[in-house]
Amino acid sequence: MAFLAPTQSILQLFFLISLFHGSFASRKLTELVQEPQTQLLEYHNGPLLFGKTSINLIWYGKFKPSQRAIISDFITSFSSSSPQSQPSVATWWKTTEKYYHHANAKRPLSLYLGKQILDESYSLGKSLTQKQLVQLASRGEQRYSINVVLTASDVTVDGFCMSRCGTHGSSRSALVKGKNYRFAYIWVGNSETQCPGYCAWPFHQPIYGPQTSPLGAPNNDMGLDAMVINLASLLAGTATNPFGNGYYQGPAGAPLEAASACPGVYANGAYPGYAGDLLLDPTTGASYNAHGAKGRKYLLPALYDPSTSSCSTLV
């Protein structure tokens, strides 16, 4: 069962302040080319999500079935019951459990694939505001869930490609037993045609910073494989800082979180502009560091390990 925090004042929001929703953290390229952080992420005594929680996917715009499968198989991979070779997506996620131990939380967060909602008709148009993202996120189940909005490559979003590649935050749900609660949401955009140099590194040459050769995408789809990276980062942030008062370092409105505290690190030997010594698919030459469900391979960001005060990688 996922925990829903009662509505409370949020002191500072990232990008947009409103009475209806808050966006706490974003994934952006500047996180990909800096030195990793070494300071301990501070726990601000807020609630963490815990227990069995569904990930509901809201697909906005046109995605091929094969593209949707890349993301849905990734979410399925979080379950340790899914047969996976090592290193695995499920093993990567276990690092987040250490945050729960430090916070003396009841139990960690267990994710599974919930409902998928398709909006291929662009019901809100092809240019979305933050408020419309929350509107889309509200279409999913709002209890014991995280609603993930995924926008197609021809959809523009406020701040997309200029200051962010994705965002997580929370919004008010309907009344539950006479009380207002918040539910967690995530948005990630497909940057393949709009700004691959900003949001699809290391599968594309970055627009600035150290210039190294791009890596092969493990699922042969630069846009979707980059979406997996950003989604993974934001899921880790959502689990450990769902309402803006969990684990983070720095300003509350622009925090470094479990994944963004380890910018650009994917494997041992990483340094600015170099993702690290990754595994290579012998058939395709693609780079990866995690096995997933149905024989999938993924590239996932390092997570900050609170028990060692260092960035933890799978390889």
Side-chain angles (χ1 to χ4, degrees), residues 20-277:
F20 305 104
H21 58 271
S23 172
F24 301 119
S26 296
R27 178 78 170 173
K28 50 189 181 291
L29 181 65
T30 53
E31 298 170 350
L32 309 182
V33 294
Q34 300 173 2
E35 293 287 353
Q37 300 294 316
T38 57
Q39 297 178 357
L40 179 68
L41 297 189
E42 182 181 354
Y43 180 45
H44 295 79
N45 300 313
L48 308 180
L49 299 183
F50 66 86
K52 192 174 182 181
T53 300
S54 67
I55 300 296
N56 301 309
L57 303 177
I58 298 99
W59 298 93
Y60 190 80
K62 297 187 184 301
F63 289 88
K64 299 175 183 177
S66 59
Q67 292 180 314
R68 295 199 299 268
I70 293 171
I71 301 292
S72 60
D73 288 346
F74 172 60
I75 300 301
T76 301
S77 302
F78 281 85
S79 170
S80 58
S81 61
S82 302
Q84 300 174 36
S85 301
Q86 293 298 326
S88 70
V89 173
T91 300
W92 174 82
W93 186 247
K94 281 188 174 295
T95 298
T96 64
E97 295 181 7
K98 298 182 180 182
Y99 289 82
Y100 290 78
H101 297 321
H102 280 257
N104 294 317
K106 294 181 179 179
R107 57 188 183 276
L109 185 62
S110 174
L111 303 179
Y112 69 95
L113 181 62
K115 296 181 179 179
Q116 299 194 54
I117 300 170
L118 303 184
D119 187 340
E120 296 182 308
S121 63
Y122 304 88
S123 62
L124 300 180
K126 290 189 175 184
S127 181
L128 302 179
T129 63
Q130 179 69 26
K131 184 176 180 179
Q132 288 174 315
L133 289 179
V134 178
Q135 182 179 343
L136 289 171
S138 300
R139 294 180 182 179
E141 297 287 339
Q142 295 182 10
R143 297 193 68 191
Y144 319 128
S145 64
I146 300 171
N147 294 333
V148 178
V149 177
L150 302 158
T151 51
S153 59
D154 58 348
V155 177
T156 61
V157 176
D158 283 353
F160 186 38
C161 294
M162 293 180 288
S163 56
R164 58 178 179 169
C165 307
T167 300
H168 82 82
S170 68
S171 181
R172 294 177 184 175
S173 67
L175 287 175
V176 180
K177 294 183 179 181
K179 295 182 179 180
N180 280 116
Y181 291 84
R182 286 187 178 272
F183 70 91
Y185 71 86
I186 292 172
W187 158 71
V188 179
N190 184 346
S191 63
E192 181 177 14
T193 58
Q194 295 185 53
C195 56
Y198 189 88
C199 295
W201 186 86
F203 303 128
H204 190 279
Q205 204 83 7
I207 58 174
Y208 58 82
Q211 298 294 303
T212 55
S213 299
L215 305 179
N219 294 285
N220 197 33
D221 190 313
M222 176 183 64
L224 269 294
D225 278 303
M227 290 182 82
V228 168
I229 292 176
N230 294 321
L231 175 56
S233 175
L234 293 166
L235 279 170
T238 299
T240 57
N241 186 33
F243 306 110
N245 53 7
Y247 283 96
Y248 67 87
Q249 175 189 327
L256 288 176
E257 298 178 326
S260 58
C262 299
V265 180
Y266 294 88
N268 287 328
Y271 54 82
Y274 178 63
D277 302 326

